[in-house]
Amino acid sequence: KRDTNPKKMNLGVGAYRDDQGKPFVLNCVRKAEAQIAAKKLDKEYLPIVGLADFSKACAQLALGPDNEVLKSGRSITVQTISGTGSLRVGANFLARFHNVSRDVYLPKPSWGNHTPIFRDAGMQLKAYTYYDPKTIGFDLKGALDDISKTPEKSVIVLHACAHNPTGVDPRPEQWKEMAALIKKRNLLVFFDMAYQGFASGDIDRDAWAVRYFIEQGHNILLSQSFAKNMGLYGERVGGFTVVCKDAEEAKRVESQLKILIRPIYSNPPMNGARIASTILNTPELYKEWLEEVKGMATRIIRMREMLVSNLKKEGSTQDWQHVTDQIGMFCFTGL
Ligand code: PLP
């Protein structure tokens, strides 16, 4: 803030900016806000688990509306205080109930907040190889080697897409190898999906790994954030999902999540959840949102291409392909 250089750029904050370097509010969000304001809704507390219409649409967005898990009712989704709140509720849930192991394996490196979230909840942090500085890409062999040595029933955190901070994601065939080995090791998968739609511009493509793991029989935990893909950063909108073995177990998990959440924040904030729910549940707004999220993702992809072509134009002979191979808002440049 003290730097008066007109060309200054903040490359540290994980928030999307427009061409003027300003925060960007989506049109569909403005429209949803107007619809909500016109309804003159009351400000009663939400239930402990949040706004039901939001949670349902949130789970459908991640898993796909026809997912067998949703049809059979063997999952529970609760509204949370964005992605961070979701991860923390999940971490507390594991600390209370996953008594078979305290170990949580994070990719090396991972989002800076993952460590304190799980540590403060009482879990023990471990790590698996992920990033390869030599290729500035994904180290599949290193990851598989490390995962094959993790004690059974440990928790493993996977970034669903647009890995923070590297921008490096496994390809589908690499995800398949990971899913098979993780199953063999009997690990519990906790997916962090903070960027659905924001990575490729396609919400289904970005959720591919999450859906594939479920198909392969993994009963995952899932954190979702609407900070980036709806630009709802400060509204704090997110969801936490537990996929269970059957509907009975899902009921018990829901009951325990209520017991866990009640003394932390009692119930989640309503405004952002109403906005997200209005967008997800109103066909015209949903369509507009898909276009807008694609617009943001495409612009990021174009910027990567422009960075590479300008580096070449300036005379660099280095191979910059990793910059365009990486995905999402974050980039390890190799500089
Ligand atoms: N997980 C990852 C990997 C992130 O990059 C972020 C935000 O930067 C989050 C979770 C959670 O963000 P929020 O709490 O704003 O939803």
Side-chain angles (χ1 to χ4, degrees):
K1 278 181 183 157
R2 286 201 303 272
D3 188 345
T4 52
N5 188 326
K7 288 187 168 177
K8 71 181 178 181
M9 279 186 217
N10 185 348
L11 299 180
V13 67
Y16 184 87
R17 296 282 185 263
D18 65 13
D19 281 334
Q20 277 68 52
K22 295 276 183 291
F24 178 62
V25 181
L26 276 62
N27 282 325
C28 61
V29 168
R30 291 289 189 223
K31 288 181 188 167
E33 283 176 334
Q35 288 185 13
I36 293 161
K39 285 189 191 156
K40 300 214 180 310
L41 298 167
D42 64 42
K43 304 285 184 193
E44 285 284 283
Y45 290 124
L46 286 179
I48 300 171
V49 292
L51 191 68
D53 287 348
F54 164 76
S55 301
K56 188 165 174 237
C58 175
Q60 284 179 347
L61 180 72
L63 273 47
D66 297 327
N67 200 303
E68 158 278 317
V69 166
L70 298 178
K71 285 186 171 157
S72 61
R74 68 174 180 99
S75 67
I76 165 70
T77 300
V78 299
Q79 180 198 329
T80 55
I81 303 174
S82 212
T84 306
S86 170
L87 289 161
R88 184 58 191 264
V89 166
N92 283 9
F93 181 76
L94 290 170
R96 185 169 290 180
F97 293 108
H98 195 60
N99 298 322
V100 284
S101 173
R102 299 278 91 185
D103 294 344
V104 176
Y105 282 78
L106 295 178
K108 265 189 285 192
S110 198
W111 179 45
N113 213 11
H114 276 149
T115 295
I117 286 171
F118 286 99
R119 189 189 55 213
D120 287 3
M123 302 299 281
Q124 269 166 29
L125 275 303
K126 300 278 162 72
Y128 61 94
T129 300
Y130 186 88
Y131 174 72
D132 182 353
K134 286 197 294 299
T135 61
I136 320 182
F138 176 51
D139 185 350
L140 177 66
K141 189 182 171 302
L144 294 176
D145 279 354
D146 284 357
I147 293 168
S148 67
K149 289 182 216 125
T150 49
E152 288 220 348
K153 299 191 175 157
S154 308
V155 177
I156 183 165
V157 172
L158 302 172
H159 296 227
C161 61
H163 181 271
N164 180 358
T166 66
V168 170
D169 283 357
R171 292 192 300 274
E173 62 276 17
Q174 296 175 324
W175 275 125
K176 286 182 181 174
E177 283 191 60
M178 303 256 288
L181 181 60
I182 290 169
K183 191 89 193 286
K184 202 164 129 204
R185 301 292 318 143
N186 200 7
L187 308 182
L188 179 60
V189 176
F190 196 155
F191 265 109
D192 182 2
M193 184 151 66
Y195 300 96
Q196 188 181 2
F198 208 75
S200 70
D202 177 336
I203 49 156
D204 295 316
R205 187 165 157 196
D206 288 354
W208 185 86
V210 167
R211 295 175 191 176
Y212 179 78
F213 271 68
I214 292 174
E215 247 171 64
Q216 296 304 305
H218 290 273
N219 284 346
I220 63 162
L221 311 184
L222 171 67
S223 159
Q224 282 170 267
S225 167
F226 289 84
K228 325 287 157 140
N229 60 7
M230 280 193 186
L232 291 175
Y233 306 91
E235 292 284 0
R236 314 307 290 143
V237 192
F240 174 61
T241 295
V242 185
V243 177
C244 303
K245 73 170 191 286
D246 54 34
E248 274 305 303
E249 189 180 70
K251 282 262 166 301
R252 291 199 295 279
V253 169
E254 177 176 17
S255 164
Q256 292 301 334
L257 284 173
K258 285 183 187 166
I259 293 167
L260 193 70
I261 290 168
R262 176 77 174 134
I264 311 180
Y265 54 83
S266 198
N267 46 73
M270 62 173 39
N271 193 57
R274 278 178 174 166
I275 296 170
S277 179
T278 304
I279 293 169
L280 295 171
N281 291 306
T282 312
E284 314 87 78
L285 292 183
Y286 184 65
K287 191 166 160 269
E288 184 165 6
W289 173 59
L290 291 181
E291 281 159 18
E292 291 193 280
V293 79
K294 190 168 189 340
M296 291 190 286
T298 309
R299 182 165 163 272
I300 295 173
I301 292 166
R302 200 172 66 237
M303 285 193 169
R304 289 181 178 277
E305 290 162 3
M306 281 162 64
L307 174 61
V308 172
S309 75
N310 281 314
L311 283 166
K312 284 187 186 153
K313 212 161 78 193
E314 293 294 328
S316 172
T317 52
Q318 201 173 309
D319 181 4
W320 295 101
Q321 199 192 322
H322 56 273
V323 173
T324 45
D325 282 349
Q326 293 169 7
I327 193 150
M329 215 165 21
F330 302 101
C331 183
F332 267 26
T333 61
L335 287 169

